[in-house]
């Protein structure tokens, strides 16, 4: 079945460092891909998405490009801030109505000043 | 903008008791999903409804049931509660026309003692 694999954390960075969180997927058909972020004690917030190959999702300085040839959707940010400390989940879904999101295990990011 | 509304936000129950969680999706969203997230875990899909019919089923225990009502709100009923049911329960909703983007509520914290 469909699945998502994320790099294991935690990822610890200094403020203004470059961030990459790797995500690869296995899916039949053409899934939509997402990154969700969960701040401590809070719910899941949609960070960015891409619905077809070569699409680039971006939000709040984060970017991810849907790469069908490598089945990847790596999350990047050029300069992280302390406020970016959170758990990041890569996820996919097919485009059929009612089909659930499949999540990766999550990657904890900790940014220090 | 309106978001997914969940109630109650926090709930404490004793073992073998019953709990009911409610979810009000974003207006004009016709699909509702329920997820369970244990401490330090990724969200696990329980069940979803599209146009008030069950559309997908995940790892929902037989002790749990859910339904979507005519006004599209949904309820998750959990009976014979066990200590292991202590978790954060998310409701999410999506419309058909945005690449199946799924938006999450803030979650309901259930503690079973």
């Amino acid at each position: 079945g469909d699945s998502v694999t994320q790099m294991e954390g935690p990822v610890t960075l200094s403020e203004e460092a470059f961030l990459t969180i790797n995500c690869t997927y296995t899916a039949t058909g053409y899934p939509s891909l997402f990154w969700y972020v969960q701040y401590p004690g809070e719910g899941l917030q949609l960070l960015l998405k891409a619905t077809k190959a070569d699409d680039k999702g971006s939000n709040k300085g984060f970017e991810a490009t849907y790469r069908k040839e490598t089945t990847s959707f790596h999350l990047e940010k050029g300069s992280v801030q302390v406020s970016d400390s959170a758990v990041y989940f890569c996820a996919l879904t097919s485009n059929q109505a009612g089909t659930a999101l499949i999540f990766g295990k999550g990657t904890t990011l900790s940014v220090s000043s | 903008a309106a978001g997914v509304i969940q109630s109650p936000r926090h709930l404490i129950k004793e073992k073998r008791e019953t709990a009911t969680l409610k979810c009000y999706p974003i207006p004009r969203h016709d699909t509702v999903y329920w997820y369970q997230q244990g401490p330090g875990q990724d969200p696990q899909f329980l069940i979803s409804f599209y146009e008030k019919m069950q559309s997908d089923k995940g790892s929902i225990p037989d002790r749990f049931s859910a339904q979507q009502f005519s006004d599209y709100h949904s309820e998750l009923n959990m009976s014979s509660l066990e200590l292991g049911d202590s978790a954060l329960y998310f409701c999410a909703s999506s419309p058909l026309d945005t690449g199946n983007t799924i938006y999450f509520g803030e979650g309901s914290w259930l503690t079973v003692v």
Side-chain angles (χ1 to χ4, degrees), chain A residues 36 38 49 93-94 97-98 101 104, chain B residues 35 37 42 48 98 100-102:
Chain A
Y36 284 84
Q38 187 173 29
K49 68 174 184 179
T93 184
S94 76
L101 274 169
Chain B
Y35 283 81
Q37 186 180 30
D42 56 303
S48 64
T98 60
N100 209 31
T101 301
I102 297 173

Side-chain angles (χ1 to χ4, degrees), chain A residues 35-47:
Chain A
W35 278 100
Y36 284 84
V37 58
Q38 187 173 29
Y39 298 100
E42 296 187 12
L44 288 161
Q45 298 178 25
L46 176 65
L47 182 59

Side-chain angles (χ1 to χ4, degrees), chain A residues 28-104:
Chain A
T28 54
Y30 302 94
S32 293
L33 302 174
F34 305 84
W35 278 100
Y36 284 84
V37 58
Q38 187 173 29
Y39 298 100
E42 296 187 12
L44 288 161
Q45 298 178 25
L46 176 65
L47 182 59
L48 54 84
K49 68 174 184 179
T51 58
K52 61 183 188 296
D54 300 325
D55 267 2
K56 178 187 281 189
S58 61
N59 186 26
K60 300 180 182 180
F62 291 90
E63 292 183 340
T65 301
Y66 189 143
R67 301 286 188 200
K68 194 173 190 308
E69 63 275 15
T70 55
T71 62
S72 65
F73 193 54
H74 304 322
L75 182 68
E76 297 182 335
K77 186 175 185 182
S79 176
V80 293
Q81 306 299 312
V82 172
S83 57
D84 294 327
S85 299
V87 181
Y88 292 81
F89 291 96
C90 185
L92 69 80
T93 184
S94 76
N95 290 312
Q96 292 180 315
T99 304
L101 274 169
I102 295 171
F103 284 92

Side-chain angles (χ1 to χ4, degrees), chain B residues 22-72:
Chain B
K22 295 186 178 181
C23 170
Y24 297 85
I26 294 171
R28 292 180 295 282
H29 283 198
D30 46 21
T31 305
V32 168
Y33 310 79
W34 286 98
Y35 283 81
Q36 178 193 58
Q37 186 180 30
Q41 304 295 312
D42 56 303
Q44 295 295 310
F45 170 65
L46 295 178
I47 196 167
S48 64
F49 295 87
Y50 169 63
E51 284 291 343
K52 293 155 280 183
M53 300 288 290
Q54 181 181 310
S55 57
D56 200 1
K57 191 172 181 180
S59 52
I60 185 168
D62 292 341
R63 299 177 289 108
F64 292 10
S65 64
Q67 58 181 321
Q68 186 178 30
F69 295 85
S70 58
D71 64 351
Y72 292 97

